[in-house]
Amino acid sequence: MSNPSEAPVAPVEAYEPPYYVAVFTSIRTEDQSGYSETAARMEELVKEVPGFLGMDHAHTPGGLSITVGYFRDADALTEWRSNAEHRAAQKRGQAEWYESYTLHVAKVERSHGFSRA
Amino acid sequence: MSNPSEAPVAPVEAYEPPYYVAVFTSIRTEDQSGYSETAARMEELVKEVPGFLGMDHAHTPGGLSITVGYFRDADALTEWRSNAEHRAAQKRGQAEWYESYTLHVAKVERSHGFSRA
């Protein structure tokens, strides 16, 4: 999973279920050398996966990071999971960037959105 | 959904599937009067729901908030969704605290964790 820009954005919309979410929660190490370049590259790559719907990211300074990727179906997730460059980034993440993380892959059954506008 | 303390914590662990995640992504308004008290109360309340497993939260300053609630089954989520105090907080959130939000409720099929320790 990647770390999109920290700029304010609207959250990814509520798609019509079913679709998949990959929830990636992490605590990072102190040494983040090379992290942001890799994250930007992963963000580029995942957009090429057919069925990729979008990504939300939030990071509390000094605390937890959460990245949520949205995918149309399980095939899209399988393709992303087996991408060689993504796998290399995961290995480097375990070696250098993450103190701990958890990944939850789930099928969306219900969704809704609200907007003041 | 609530806004737990912003202190560094370990992410909620990878439970044995199936279980449910409720992914709540939001952009907040400028006026957050009363928000943190209500968020703290919601955090207290949700812990009383049988089948509540935990919660992760991250908030990029000036940007997106993501709260992920973990529940053992759909009944636990239904109980939380129908809690009267929670519903009142949601109404107030739409009126005052949220510019926009999206909720995705999903059944976890696969999960794993990593810890350096």
Side-chain angles (χ1 to χ4, degrees):
Chain A
M1 268 316 141
S2 79
N3 172 33
S5 88
E6 310 271 343
V9 289
V12 168
E13 65 181 290
Y15 290 94
E16 187 68 31
Y19 54 98
Y20 277 82
V21 288
V23 179
F24 182 76
T25 57
S26 65
I27 297 286
R28 300 201 201 140
T29 55
E30 283 188 17
D31 183 6
Q32 292 292 295
S33 326
Y35 175 81
S36 61
E37 295 81 356
T38 302
R41 173 64 182 150
M42 290 305 109
E43 195 177 350
E44 237 176 55
L45 264 187
V46 74
K47 286 179 181 159
E48 295 172 9
V49 173
F52 172 71
L53 298 174
M55 184 179 288
D56 283 324
H57 176 75
H59 179 201
T60 302
L64 203 64
S65 280
I66 305 180
T67 301
V68 185
Y70 304 87
F71 297 87
R72 177 44 67 198
D73 52 33
D75 286 351
L77 264 160
T78 301
E79 175 158 340
W80 178 230
R81 191 160 77 241
S82 53
N83 178 285
E85 219 178 314
H86 182 206
R87 294 181 81 95
Q90 288 173 325
K91 286 220 174 73
R92 192 167 168 201
Q94 292 190 348
E96 298 176 38
W97 300 316
Y98 297 116
E99 200 56 48
S100 63
Y101 66 70
T102 310
L103 175 71
H104 313 263
V105 173
K107 188 179 192 172
V108 178
E109 297 184 352
R110 189 161 60 79
S111 66
H112 74 264
F114 163 80
S115 178
R116 184 169 299 275
Chain B
M1 267 316 141
S2 78
N3 173 32
S5 87
E6 310 272 342
V9 289
V12 169
E13 66 182 289
Y15 290 95
E16 186 69 30
Y19 54 97
Y20 276 81
V21 289
V23 179
F24 182 77
T25 57
S26 66
I27 297 287
R28 299 198 202 142
T29 55
E30 282 188 15
D31 182 5
Q32 293 292 296
S33 326
Y35 175 81
S36 61
E37 294 81 356
T38 302
R41 174 64 182 148
M42 290 304 110
E43 195 177 350
E44 235 176 58
L45 264 186
V46 74
K47 286 181 182 158
E48 294 172 8
V49 174
F52 172 72
L53 298 174
M55 183 179 289
D56 283 324
H57 176 76
H59 179 201
T60 302
L64 204 65
S65 280
I66 305 179
T67 301
V68 185
Y70 304 87
F71 297 86
R72 177 45 67 198
D73 52 33
D75 286 351
L77 264 160
T78 301
E79 176 158 338
W80 178 231
R81 191 161 77 241
S82 53
N83 178 286
E85 218 178 316
H86 183 206
R87 293 180 81 95
Q90 287 174 325
K91 285 220 175 72
R92 191 166 169 202
Q94 291 190 349
E96 299 176 38
W97 300 316
Y98 297 116
E99 201 55 48
S100 63
Y101 66 70
T102 310
L103 175 72
H104 314 262
V105 173
K107 188 179 192 172
V108 177
E109 297 183 352
R110 190 160 60 78
S111 66
H112 75 264
F114 163 79
S115 178
R116 183 168 299 276

